[in-house]
Amino acid sequence: QVQLVESGGGLVQAGGSLRLSCVATRNTINGYNMGWFRQTPGRAREFVAAITSNSGNTAYADSVKGRFAISRDNAKNTVYLQMNSLSPEDTAVYYCAADRTWLSSRLRMDVLGYGYWGQGTQVTVSS
């Protein structure tokens, strides 16, 4: 079982940047496609970005395309989400997740495709 811990959230002004990190503290992310999701109170968790296990392919929600970048360092067991040009609409709890299937050939963008989740990190963007 993969155990994930996010960090890097905080308060930032609109137009600013943050980089989130997600490290596996138990087992490894090697072989797993990884994703970032976010959630605000009263709303469903929504897809933000995903990356294949070998970093060969990425996917982004339309709302963050061109502003956010997902990357990973398998040697450090870590996934990153670089967030630029932040707006108040990006305010949410951000979650890191690992695909429920090891060596999956499909890059998932749905919550059900991920079986391992971190506890989340709060990102607040002030106007």
Side-chain angles (χ1 to χ4, degrees):
Q1 185 172 355
V2 181
Q3 191 166 9
L4 303 169
V5 178
E6 302 96 335
S7 63
L11 174 64
V12 64
Q13 287 188 331
S17 299
L18 281 175
R19 187 175 84 153
L20 305 183
S21 298
C22 168
V23 61
T25 58
R26 182 178 175 182
N27 287 329
T28 176
I29 63 170
N30 290 343
Y32 288 96
N33 296 341
M34 300 294 295
W36 285 97
F37 291 75
R38 65 187 182 186
Q39 188 170 22
T40 54
R43 299 187 65 178
R45 195 166 296 188
E46 66 173 4
F47 170 77
V48 175
I51 187 168
T52 52
S53 59
N54 63 357
S55 301
N57 193 21
T58 57
Y60 295 94
D62 287 343
S63 59
V64 306
K65 206 170 289 185
R67 299 187 299 124
F68 291 12
I70 187 171
S71 61
R72 64 191 293 163
D73 185 337
N74 287 340
K76 294 183 178 180
N77 238 359
T78 303
V79 181
Y80 304 98
L81 185 67
Q82 177 67 42
M83 306 186 296
N84 301 323
S85 301
L86 286 162
S87 73
E89 289 69 37
D90 297 314
T91 294
V93 177
Y94 283 72
Y95 297 90
C96 171
D99 197 302
R100 63 174 62 252
T101 303
W102 190 63
L103 295 181
S104 173
S105 61
R106 178 183 173 189
L107 191 56
R108 303 289 295 261
M109 293 184 282
D110 59 310
V111 170
L112 292 178
Y114 292 82
Y116 309 99
W117 295 84
Q119 84 290 348
T121 184
Q122 176 71 45
V123 171
T124 303
V125 185
S126 64
S127 58

